[in-house]
Amino acid sequence: MELFPAIDLIDGCAVRLVKGDYAQKTIYSENPAAVARSFAAAGAKYLHVVDLEGAKDGGTPNLETIRTIVRESGLLVEVGGGIRSEEVIKTYLDAGVFRVILGTAAVQNPAFLEEMVRKYGEKIAVGVDIKDGRVAIKGWTEVSEESCFAFCEKLQKIGVKTIICTDISKDGLLSGTNLELYRQLSEKCKVDIVASGGVTTLDDVKKLAEMKLYGAILGKALYTGNIDLAAAVTLTKEGNE
């Protein structure tokens, strides 16, 4: 299982929100590139970056910060947050990002998603944010009528290779992850599934790895010290041997 330590950006700073609530923000670092370098030093290969301002309003307000992270960390960086046009996709790919994550656009504009998957293939992932079994959009501020399982099956048919699945009810609470949700998703959908939201302990990492999931995102637990990244990397490597 691949590990994706996470950096969420607002105003060029690494922050964390609780359950996607912009009013519940903690700033962890004013130098996200240094945070990324520390993840690389701990053995990470990938980095998951979300532009939280972009998620809410569209655009690429933290582009320069992301460019610096890509250049200085040496990590494979995937980026999400408000990516709703091909222009923004190209901007991020030109900045050295290896994969972009579509969220709201994938729900609201399936034709756009299909075209981008046809053009860019595996460089397009989809973030499926789940609230009470349904897909949330616009930085989690709205919930669509779409069931998460039906939506993931639809993505598979379109040709999406990677789905990043977040259980909003678990995000940022350090209360453990929704193992049952990921078990069901991995059984129903034959795509690469990345678990996100509430991965709190090394035991969570171990259980997700045992499910043979493609990946897991580590967020707040890294910043609070609940999970030691180097130990998590070692654990997943052992599971692959």
Side-chain angles (χ1 to χ4, degrees), residues 32-59:
V35 176
R37 290 196 302 272
S38 75
F39 292 159
K45 179 181 171 188
Y46 294 96
L47 180 68
H48 176 81
V49 173
V50 178
D51 185 332
L52 288 170
E53 289 165 287
K56 205 155 66 163
D57 307 316

Side-chain angles (χ1 to χ4, degrees), residues 15 27 59-60 64 93 152 186 236:
V15 307
I27 295 174
T60 58
E64 288 311 312
L93 294 178
C152 289
S186 61
T236 53

